[in-house]
Amino acid sequence: LRACNDRMLSQLFILTSRGDTIVSKDYRGDVARGTAEIFFRELQSSEGECPPVFTIRGTQFLYIKRNGLYFVCTSKFNVSPATTLELLQRVANLIKDYCGILSEESIRVNFVLIYELLDEVIDFGYGQSTATEVLKSHINKEPISVAPIESRSMGLEQKRSVPSTAPNKPISLRRRGEERDGKNEIYLDLLERLTVLFGPTGDVIRSEINGSIQMKSFLRGAPEINLALNEDLSIGKERGLYGLVLDDCNFHECVNLSKFEDQRALSLKPPDGEFTVMNYRISGDSGGFKHSLPFKVDVVVKEAGSPDRQDVIIRLDATLPGKCFGSNVTVKTTLPKATASCGHELGTPGQQFKFNKDDKTAVWTVPKIPGGGSFYVRLKLSLTDYSVNVAREMGPINMEFEVPMYVCSGINIRYLRVSERGRNYTPFRWVRYITHSDSYVFRK
């Protein structure tokens, strides 16, 4: 009985960032009402970030946050945190697959479909199947698309690219092998998350890439997908003068690896919904990255004419190729505790700056930086302690950014082919490369 109880859930609910409950499901009736309000009060009263698992008056709360929404489970038992958090992740993925996009609006307009999913995924507090393909035979409500993708005047047939929101549409509820409505297309994303630590002189102390290849299929019938990576790719070997080396990798269960050793090719029949074809990790030791890191930051401290005033110039250089750009770039740093106020001077218009006097943090936001571009912000500090060493007491600089169509590793999709025996297949194939910052820190 104890082994079963560690997987027994009482409730599942979804909250907005305002604390509004948009979905609530009680599976066992052993937890008093009002737990959603208790959870949100705890979330608001926590100093810093609230832990993903906590207990209040004998009720265990477990939650994740996705796209500004809180997915929360409660239980009267000491359930496995890893299992429950993974279940919440899969519930969020299912909603995204069936609704097309994970947002408050899509959940509100598809609430009947959401409750159908929750009835099938969890039964009397026990997790059941979370496979998108398996659940299709049990779901009857057709999804309502919040933002349908429509072709413009030229049509997708004549375009070489589509908006980044193009894959955000619901899957078809038809079973595998049946003809589906809509366009015959497939989306492939190669995503890389950078973890980089720079030293005070600008040298790289530690660097790592965690990458994944994600696929979302809207193909008719049951075709086979073949995709190929770099021919000089190797796994777990020492780095030489040539070739790309992955420290480790893993693949989705549907991937056939019979051609991977010889041709670096993968074949698969994609399941419905969005899924990860491959995960990989590359360390930056001994020249592990083929392309340069996207950004560099320099800091210069200057006296401003009086002992209680100092200027700090933060310069941001985009070391990207000219055809690339960084978007949603945020630079955050902590100023000395003796900082009474912080004025600023931005080098170009369109940027934003914010100083928080309580925790002495400065946040500089640049919407878009072209490759090879250079931007700066001048901070005008007023100090309460004349003897403070500004350069020494400034905290590390943290960056957040996104770089479309650029990856540091050099991994490349050589081809993406779709075929099915007995039919002429001409689908639309969309491939996208994206680099995100995971932890991009400059020590000063």
Side-chain angles (χ1 to χ4, degrees), residues 18 65 88 105 259 313 326 385 422:
R18 305 180 303 276
K65 186 177 182 181
L88 291 175
E105 183 183 3
K259 299 179 182 179
I313 302 173
D385 184 358

Side-chain angles (χ1 to χ4, degrees), residues 24-55:
S24 179
K25 186 74 176 175
D26 194 332
Y27 292 99
R28 300 183 56 81
D30 57 352
V31 175
R33 293 185 177 183
T35 48
E37 290 79 8
I38 294 173
F39 165 79
F40 194 71
R41 283 200 301 268
E42 179 68 18
L43 200 69
Q44 294 294 97
S45 62
S46 296
E47 295 183 3
E49 188 172 355
C50 187
V53 182
F54 58 88
T55 302

Side-chain angles (χ1 to χ4, degrees), residues 46-97:
S46 296
E47 295 183 3
E49 188 172 355
C50 187
V53 182
F54 58 88
T55 302
I56 299 178
R57 295 194 292 273
T59 300
Q60 191 176 24
F61 291 80
L62 307 96
Y63 79 97
I64 64 170
K65 186 177 182 181
R66 289 275 300 270
N67 293 18
L69 300 172
Y70 295 97
F71 292 77
V72 190
C73 275
T74 63
S75 178
K76 280 293 186 180
F77 302 93
N78 187 23
V79 297
S80 168
T83 302
T84 306
L85 295 177
E86 176 65 23
L87 177 63
L88 291 175
Q89 290 284 3
R90 295 193 181 190
V91 168
N93 291 339
L94 281 172
I95 294 175
K96 185 175 186 295
D97 286 341

Side-chain angles (χ1 to χ4, degrees), residues 346-417:
L346 297 172
T348 55
Q351 306 172 30
Q352 295 180 351
F353 179 83
K354 183 179 180 181
F355 171 65
N356 189 322
K357 190 175 181 179
D358 295 331
D359 57 7
K360 310 300 182 183
T361 55
V363 181
W364 174 30
T365 304
V366 184
K368 185 176 180 179
I369 300 180
S374 181
F375 292 79
Y376 78 90
V377 60
R378 180 187 293 268
L379 310 184
K380 301 179 179 181
L381 308 185
S382 295
L383 305 173
T384 58
D385 184 358
Y386 302 163
S387 62
V388 67
N389 188 326
V390 174
R392 181 175 297 177
E393 293 197 17
M394 277 190 64
I397 294 176
N398 295 271
M399 284 193 65
E400 295 179 2
F401 55 82
E402 176 181 310
V403 183
M405 302 312 295
Y406 181 82
V407 288
C408 296
S409 66
I411 286 186
N412 181 46
I413 306 297
R414 284 193 288 130
Y415 61 75
L416 176 63
R417 297 170 181 167

Side-chain angles (χ1 to χ4, degrees), residues 124-135:
F124 197 60
Y126 294 97
Q128 307 296 313
S129 175
T130 56
T132 303
E133 180 69 29
V134 173
L135 292 173

Side-chain angles (χ1 to χ4, degrees), residues 72-363:
V72 190
C73 275
T74 63
S75 178
K76 280 293 186 180
F77 302 93
N78 187 23
V79 297
S80 168
T83 302
T84 306
L85 295 177
E86 176 65 23
L87 177 63
L88 291 175
Q89 290 284 3
R90 295 193 181 190
V91 168
N93 291 339
L94 281 172
I95 294 175
K96 185 175 186 295
D97 286 341
Y98 279 87
C99 297
I101 185 172
L102 186 60
S103 67
E104 178 183 349
E105 183 183 3
S106 67
I107 292 177
R108 287 189 185 277
V109 300
N110 289 287
F111 73 95
V112 177
L113 172 60
I114 304 300
Y115 279 102
E116 278 190 317
L117 284 171
L118 294 181
D119 283 338
E120 299 299 332
V121 171
I122 301 176
D123 183 20
F124 197 60
Y126 294 97
Q128 307 296 313
S129 175
T130 56
T132 303
E133 180 69 29
V134 173
L135 292 173
K136 285 171 62 175
S137 59
H138 305 286
I139 304 301
N140 299 311
K141 178 66 176 178
E142 288 286 340
I144 301 173
S145 182
V146 172
I149 304 301
E150 299 178 356
S151 60
R152 306 302 180 187
S153 58
M154 293 180 61
L156 290 178
E157 295 81 4
Q158 301 178 22
K159 288 190 175 184
R160 296 179 61 87
S161 63
V162 291
S164 60
T165 57
N168 297 339
K169 54 185 177 180
I171 63 168
S172 170
L173 293 184
R174 297 178 184 269
R175 298 184 181 181
R176 181 176 292 275
E178 297 180 354
E179 290 299 322
R180 309 184 187 195
D181 300 326
K183 294 190 179 299
N184 198 23
E185 52 194 357
I186 184 170
Y187 297 88
L188 191 71
D189 285 344
L190 198 156
L191 308 176
E192 290 192 348
R193 293 170 177 82
L194 284 175
T195 300
V196 185
L197 177 62
F198 294 87
T201 59
D203 55 320
V204 178
I205 298 176
R206 182 172 64 89
S207 59
E208 184 178 84
I209 291 175
N210 287 284
S212 63
I213 299 176
Q214 296 184 352
M215 181 179 290
K216 192 167 186 180
S217 171
F218 297 95
L219 298 172
R220 303 189 186 105
E224 182 177 72
I225 310 296
N226 290 276
L227 66 93
L229 306 176
N230 309 49
E231 292 180 325
D232 59 353
L233 182 71
S234 58
I235 302 171
K237 297 181 180 179
E238 293 185 2
R239 293 186 172 87
L241 296 177
Y242 304 100
L244 175 63
V245 179
L246 307 183
D247 289 84
D248 53 65
C249 64
N250 58 71
F251 301 90
H252 191 273
E253 58 187 9
C254 72
V255 177
N256 185 343
L257 299 174
S258 59
K259 299 179 182 179
F260 186 71
E261 285 295 328
D262 298 332
Q263 305 176 25
R264 293 306 183 212
L266 309 174
S267 61
L268 65 147
K269 290 191 175 181
D272 281 329
E274 185 175 342
F275 70 101
T276 301
V277 178
M278 173 185 178
N279 291 304
Y280 60 89
R281 182 177 63 85
I282 304 174
S283 65
D285 302 334
S286 304
F289 302 166
K290 183 176 181 180
H291 302 303
S292 63
L293 295 171
F295 297 104
K296 290 184 178 180
V297 172
D298 290 316
V299 177
V300 178
V301 179
K302 294 183 177 181
E303 293 185 1
S306 61
D308 63 335
R309 296 186 179 275
Q310 300 242 3
D311 285 358
V312 178
I313 302 173
I314 302 177
R315 176 175 169 175
L316 175 61
D317 295 318
T319 55
L320 297 164
K323 62 181 180 180
C324 298
F325 65 91
S327 62
N328 303 320
V329 180
T330 300
V331 180
K332 182 178 180 180
T333 187
T334 304
L335 300 178
K337 295 181 180 180
T339 304
S341 63
C342 177
H344 65 276
E345 175 187 313
L346 297 172
T348 55
Q351 306 172 30
Q352 295 180 351
F353 179 83
K354 183 179 180 181
F355 171 65
N356 189 322
K357 190 175 181 179
D358 295 331
D359 57 7
K360 310 300 182 183
T361 55
V363 181

